[in-house]
Amino acid sequence: MKTYMVPAICLALLGTGAITALAASSPDADLKIYQEYFKKKFPDFTEENYSLGMYNFNEDKRSQWEAIMEFPPYETVVDKGEKLFNTPFKNGKTYADCLENGGIGISHTYPRFDAGSGKIRTLSMEINDCRESNGEKPLNLLKGDLPTLLAYMAETSRGKALDIQVPDDPRALAAYEDGKRIYFTRRGPRGFACYNCHWDAAGGRIRGNELSPAIGQATNFPAYRSKWGAMGPIQRRYKGCMKNIGAKPLKAGSDAMNNLEYFHRFLSNGLPSSAPNNRF
Amino acid sequence: MKILMALIATVVLSVHTGVQAADTDAQQAIDAAKAAHKKADSLQGGWVSTDKLIKKAEEASAKGDGDKALKLAKKAQKEAELAHAQAEYELKNWAPPPYLMPK
């Protein structure tokens, strides 16, 4: 909420000049500024380049990735996810009974703001709540069947433009702002924030890794990572980056982590979903 | 004989209390470090290295190396305080970089 308060004070102090600042702190205005930055930095980038992430910046890794994509490991996970998705619970109901449009082609619209609870709902939450309301145990958020289900659901949204909505509700804006705060907050012994690597240094290298731009990253998740030897959700990837900068990772499924996912996925709005994908 | 027994008793007793004192100091320091770390965590600001230091301090303490445990716990405490100060500062001062701010 902070940035919404500041312009109000400016307005009182400075008059009309602050009106533009007020208008500019809406999520849509933010996104325009964010997109402009990368348009200038990578003028030749197509939509595909944004999803390619780090593989834009290293020929060898790019051809390795292309070789993997000929028989992508995520495909077997998607098949398994489809079976899980269609297997009825003990009471005979299925995931499709809980989810909008039977769960098909909705993945690219998550996370969503839920007016009932005033909170952000991730697709993982929808899956687990569906299980619990049908008398089944919730699944581990980071490993196993849950990311497998996410992979199948993402496959049904492949190619659809990411569409993360921030409705005009103060609680939705607060959640967006909280995610933004977490994204721009310096943490860990060396005081790194996400943007230091994925904006400032995007396209550069750090410890042998080329850095992907913040915009586009979210189009690839869930992703099958060779490092994990498994399909994993985006929050698992966030935890990895947090650990790498020496900051204690936020808890998967916490409001803070969900708000971060909300903000981070919003950054890729308009880009076609290319999840699940493969990553090193 | 009685004097000797008394002497041995005092020596044993004092060594024993010495060890105990180091242990309590270390335990107190570990508890304090944990509390400071929790405080940093409550602002989403904890560092991974602090967890490791606390774990090492506990291991040293379990092995009876009170001095080492104390040192590690003190270091953990200092780190946790830095992390907390960082988190407090960031809560008030975080901002996108100028190039991502509206002009």
Side-chain angles (χ1 to χ4, degrees), chain A residues 2 181 187-188 200 246 248, chain B residues 41 44 46 48 86 91 94 99:
Chain A
K2 207 169 300 154
R181 172 188 64 77
R187 300 173 69 221
D200 285 346
K248 273 185 83 168
Chain B
D41 266 352
Q44 305 168 342
V48 174
Q86 176 193 47
L91 270 177
W94 75 271
Y99 60 77

Side-chain angles (χ1 to χ4, degrees), chain B residues 61-72:
Chain B
S61 173
K63 279 192 202 136
D65 192 345
D67 283 349
K68 192 174 169 194
L70 189 65
K71 253 186 220 149
L72 288 163

